[in-house]
Amino acid sequence: MLRRLVAVILFAFATVPAAIAANPVRDVLWVALQGCVLAKKAAGRSFPCLSVDLGDGARPGTAVLRAPGQPTHTVVMPTDSISGIEAPVLQGPRGAAYWRAALAARHFVSDALPGRLPVATVGLEVNSVGGRSQDQLHIHLDCMHRSVMAALKAHGGAVGETWAPFPVPLAEARYVALRIPPDAVAEFNPFAALARVPGWQGHLHDASFAAVEADPGDPQGGMILLAYREPEASAEYLMDHSCRMAKPGRHG
């Protein structure tokens, strides 16, 4: 079985289209994804991904991959070729489908720190064109910085259901914020929501967003979406890939 999986992955590398091979640095993720998909089709295994859903007529395919050498940092990707946050297809049902897949995959982060990290504190994030290293859409999942969670606890009550400036800077950037009500989270489309920020439609290549559940003490609940725009925007700065916010304890 192992030999078969290795052969499948090698085949994925050997069959990379010329257009992709011309820019190998920004397509490493795409090549790894092809190995996962081929392994799933040929052997029913997701390796080297954590999971692969090939999709069906009702939903698009997705894969979950752990960032190399990082115990919690995880990404969720479409199995179809979609460049990133700026792709027009994300304004429709597919954007919401990938959001749901990312929400469902948060447990891969909390499972890596059993008993130390509630799923609700796992954040989601997507970078701008200039702020990313890969040209295959990937939604980052990981811990949020303690300072970000503290800011949401202190100022989350000011976040409503229409876009407005977040009261304080986060990671030295000025964000706009939007509350996703609890009953709207499952059907939400963050990519379409970004296009509704005044002046942002047609400029999403410069946008980046992060999302996390509201503080448990926030009576409005739901999730908080944070976004900003600049040429190399990366809301990933709101994440802490070392997960210092995880509760003290030993690994199980």
Side-chain angles (χ1 to χ4, degrees), residues 221-235:
M223 296 188 73
I224 304 295
L225 187 66
L226 299 160
Y228 80 115
R229 272 187 59 221
E230 61 181 45
E232 296 183 354
S234 175

Side-chain angles (χ1 to χ4, degrees), residues 15-104:
T15 56
V16 175
I20 289 177
N23 192 6
V25 174
R26 293 183 70 90
D27 289 294
V28 171
L29 191 58
W30 172 253
V31 173
L33 174 61
Q34 296 315 294
C36 297
V37 171
L38 286 170
K40 186 71 171 182
K41 290 179 177 179
R45 299 283 297 276
S46 299
F47 179 83
C49 288
L50 297 174
S51 72
V52 175
D53 179 353
L54 296 175
D56 54 30
R59 70 186 191 286
T62 54
V64 182
L65 180 68
R66 184 87 74 203
Q70 299 190 43
T72 57
H73 186 191
T74 303
V75 295
V76 177
M77 304 166 285
T79 55
D80 292 332
S81 177
I82 297 177
S83 59
I85 197 166
E86 75 285 1
V89 69
L90 298 176
Q91 295 295 307
R94 288 199 172 210
Y98 298 137
W99 163 263
R100 285 192 294 273
L103 290 175

